[in-house]
Amino acid sequence: MSSHEESHPADAESMLARTEMGGHETTETKDEQEKVVVEIDPPQKATRAKKSVVWRFFEEVKVPSKKRKGETEIKGKCMACGSLFAKTASGTTSHWMRHLNTCDLHKHNEKSKQQKIINYRTEEEEEAEGDVETPGVVNPGYCDNAKIREIICKLIIVHDMPFRLVEYKWFNILMKALNHGYKKMSRNTIRNECMKLYESEKDILKKYLKNVKKISLTCDLWTSNQTICYMSLVAHYIDADWNMHCRIINFIELEPPHSGVVISNALYDCLAEWTIEDKVASITFDNAASNDLAVKFLLAKFKNRKALWFEGKFLHVRCCAHILNLVVQDGLKMIEHLTDKVRETIKYIKKSNNRFYKFQNDIDSLNIGRSKGMVLDCCTRWGSTFKMLDSAFHYRAAIDAYASGDANCRWQPSEEEWLFYEQVNSILGVFHEATKAFSGSTYPTSNLFYPHIVNIKKILCGLKESKEECLAAMADAMEDKFNKYWGPECNTLFAIATILDPRYKMDMIKYTFPSLYAESKVAEKLTSVEATLHELYALYESENNKSMSTSASNGSTSQCTSTSASSSNTAFSITSQYQEYMKAKKAYQPSKSDLKKYLDDDVENIPDDKFDILGWWKMNELKYPLVAKMARDILTIPITSVSSESAFSTGGRVIDDYRSSLLPSTVQGLVCTSSWIRGGHHKEKDVEDDANSIPLVLVEADSIVGSN
């Protein structure tokens, strides 16, 4: 008997019957008399080892048979291009090897396995591409179609390209030439990929905003060519490294009516979706009445949550650029006759090539430079009106010379009107500089607001004292609008922002308040600003004390256990007792607050063009920790809604006349993701001048159409 049989005698005795039939074995036990059928696999035929190198590039796959329906057959699949080849009965692979010699994708992959060179960007490429992050290493030795789809999505989103780009013939030829493994996609596929990218980028930004303490918002409405009203909500914040960030967090369809209740509900829903309703420091709107009502409803909701920063005193910020436009428009009404004449004169000259050629000859004969250009204004942008008047004043001699030789030119301004504009030009120039500062593409910090407002107020006060009745009336109209919108609350907010500028501090406020207010109110206003400043500082100080007490209570338990064990073994010497006494004595001595230290230190003497306020606070954060926290929240408050309006510029490119059928959800995904990928630092070229400027280049006489 074998050793196996000896080890299992019970199994041999308990077996009553065994019958083997066709590869099946039937077993019946003595107790239960049950039959169990066990399938035995037929013996496998030994296969020959795969020794050929071709198996490194091919794999066996089962595919449906073309000759016998319902059955499968084994074929060899090229790992590079996916081509299928029949497997011979003898197992030869010579025809597979011949395919590798002609497969371009296989050759590309093999060549890609060679050592790569790091692809650093040159200085010219960095200047051209800006802050966009690009890979620093060349592509891998295989075709990563997932990565290619992601890059194409970012190309479409950032550069406002149509989804149909991936179906263009020459785009696919280019992609195939760059990588033979590229797989063509449909516009529906790339649209779905773009929306996936939107969701993933949104999750990343959500996680990042959890670590941001305070967020300031801008909000505005816009109606597209689809006659759909969109609401843009933009978040502004300063990160831990003192970098300013601007992100479009929502670009949603707003159902009519666009009342204050509807706006406030939509805005609050957006904040709840991002879970930042407890972090809002301020919201910047334009001056529509519905926006004022929306702020009231939002204020009530925030109070119920007990999440108002500084009791909501600075929650509502009016767009300074919009107010400035209203102030100047009231003043321009007083010189409307001159504006109309200049506008009609430029239109008349531009309308005909023949007239424009004659005007150029007059410019050359008078030796006037052509660099200024002829500008037409846009009714919604007063800055373009200033440029139009300024360019016309520059070419006034050429306009007079042309009008004297053309009897049909009836809109020539008179000499008295030119002299009057010469007086107004310097005043409008101050407003224009303020508009450029407020509407900067780099989103100015709030400390830039106050000096420009002081300059405007001083200009208006000087204009009111003019002996010219027209100038005095112009100043009255502009000052009424100025006082209507820039009340004491707004001045208090931006006065504090000015104090947090180390070049100005409190001395700037004391120096400029007499220019803003009557002498009887200056002391009262100064006291109000100082009280608000100290009240705001006390808020940050109390929050800091709470966090310190919490951390101290958490550490006290571990300290007590360690000191109790050590005190039983060692006694305090007189030296250690004296040190404890001195620590306690210093603790009872009152020390200067951060705010007092900051205000008492000397102001910085740094030129405006070389001063970076965020960089300064980054360097001095440890010196004034609590004041730095105040500065981080105050300086991030946007003084205009330009960021929201720039989102509409992006929306206008996304929803053009050829893509007006996009769903609102798709529009939101494209606009928001573009903002997140760019990182909020994208600087767009000012298209206003390009659209309205006429380069004064010489027009050939042969190309002139004979018209008068």
Side-chain angles (χ1 to χ4, degrees), residues 217-219 231-235 247-250 267 270-271 644:
L217 306 171
T218 60
C219 183
M231 184 181 78
S232 170
L233 187 64
V234 183
R247 301 289 186 273
I248 304 172
I249 58 175
N250 280 100
L267 201 152
C270 293
L271 298 178
S644 292

Side-chain angles (χ1 to χ4, degrees), residues 381-401:
R381 294 187 179 185
W382 92 266
S384 63
T385 304
F386 170 76
K387 291 178 182 179
M388 180 186 72
L389 294 172
D390 191 50
S391 65
F393 187 73
H394 177 74
Y395 294 112
R396 64 187 183 280
I399 291 175
D400 293 341

Side-chain angles (χ1 to χ4, degrees), residues 311-560:
E311 299 179 355
K313 292 181 180 179
F314 301 146
L315 180 66
H316 186 197
V317 179
R318 298 182 183 275
C319 175
C320 296
H322 189 262
I323 295 173
L324 198 61
N325 185 62
L326 295 176
V327 172
V328 179
Q329 291 293 354
D330 284 0
L332 289 177
K333 289 179 182 178
M334 308 305 298
I335 58 171
E336 193 172 5
H337 56 287
L338 173 62
T339 305
D340 291 341
K341 284 185 176 182
V342 170
R343 185 183 297 114
E344 293 301 323
T345 300
I346 294 176
K347 284 182 180 179
Y348 179 77
I349 294 174
K350 286 177 63 177
K351 195 173 182 180
S352 167
N353 284 342
N354 188 24
R355 291 194 288 263
F356 187 61
Y357 178 71
K358 292 178 181 178
F359 180 68
Q360 286 179 325
N361 289 335
D362 291 332
I363 291 175
D364 293 337
S365 63
L366 294 170
N367 197 21
I368 303 174
R370 296 186 179 189
S371 59
K372 196 77 173 178
M374 293 286 285
V375 181
L376 270 176
D377 65 337
C378 174
C379 60
T380 58
R381 294 187 179 185
W382 92 266
S384 63
T385 304
F386 170 76
K387 291 178 182 179
M388 180 186 72
L389 294 172
D390 191 50
S391 65
F393 187 73
H394 177 74
Y395 294 112
R396 64 187 183 280
I399 291 175
D400 293 341
Y402 177 83
S404 62
D406 189 344
N408 293 324
C409 185
R410 303 183 299 272
W411 305 278
Q412 175 196 5
S414 63
E415 187 64 27
E416 291 77 10
E417 289 172 328
W418 284 128
L419 291 174
F420 177 74
Y421 174 73
E422 192 172 5
Q423 294 177 321
V424 176
N425 182 46
S426 59
I427 301 167
L428 295 179
V430 174
F431 283 91
H432 183 61
E433 289 300 320
T435 302
K436 288 199 298 183
F438 294 168
S439 305
S441 59
T442 52
Y443 309 120
T445 49
S446 53
N447 63 304
L448 300 178
F449 169 85
Y450 187 78
H452 288 286
I453 294 305
V454 173
N455 287 336
I456 291 173
K457 182 68 175 180
K458 293 177 72 173
I459 286 290
L460 293 179
C461 291
L463 199 62
K464 286 182 66 176
E465 297 175 359
S466 175
K467 296 180 180 179
E468 294 283 345
E469 293 183 1
C470 188
L471 290 176
M474 181 180 179
D476 287 334
M478 298 171 79
E479 191 176 37
D480 289 343
K481 193 74 72 175
F482 181 94
N483 295 330
K484 177 181 178 181
Y485 288 109
W486 281 322
E489 292 81 8
C490 179
N491 286 338
T492 302
L493 168 62
F494 294 110
I496 292 176
T498 305
I499 295 171
L500 294 174
D501 190 328
R503 298 169 299 169
Y504 303 139
K505 299 188 178 180
M506 198 66 196
D507 294 333
M508 181 69 163
I509 306 302
K510 293 177 180 178
Y511 175 74
T512 55
F513 262 34
S515 301
L516 291 175
Y517 302 105
E519 186 177 354
S520 58
K521 292 185 177 182
V522 170
E524 177 187 349
K525 296 297 181 183
L526 283 173
T527 304
S528 175
V529 170
E530 289 180 344
T532 305
L533 177 65
H534 286 88
E535 185 181 352
L536 184 61
Y537 177 78
L539 174 65
Y540 284 85
E541 193 174 32
S542 63
E543 291 178 355
N544 182 67
N545 292 337
K546 286 180 182 178
S547 62
M548 292 288 289
S549 61
T550 303
S551 60
S553 62
N554 293 336
S556 61
T557 55
S558 59
Q559 262 188 349
C560 288

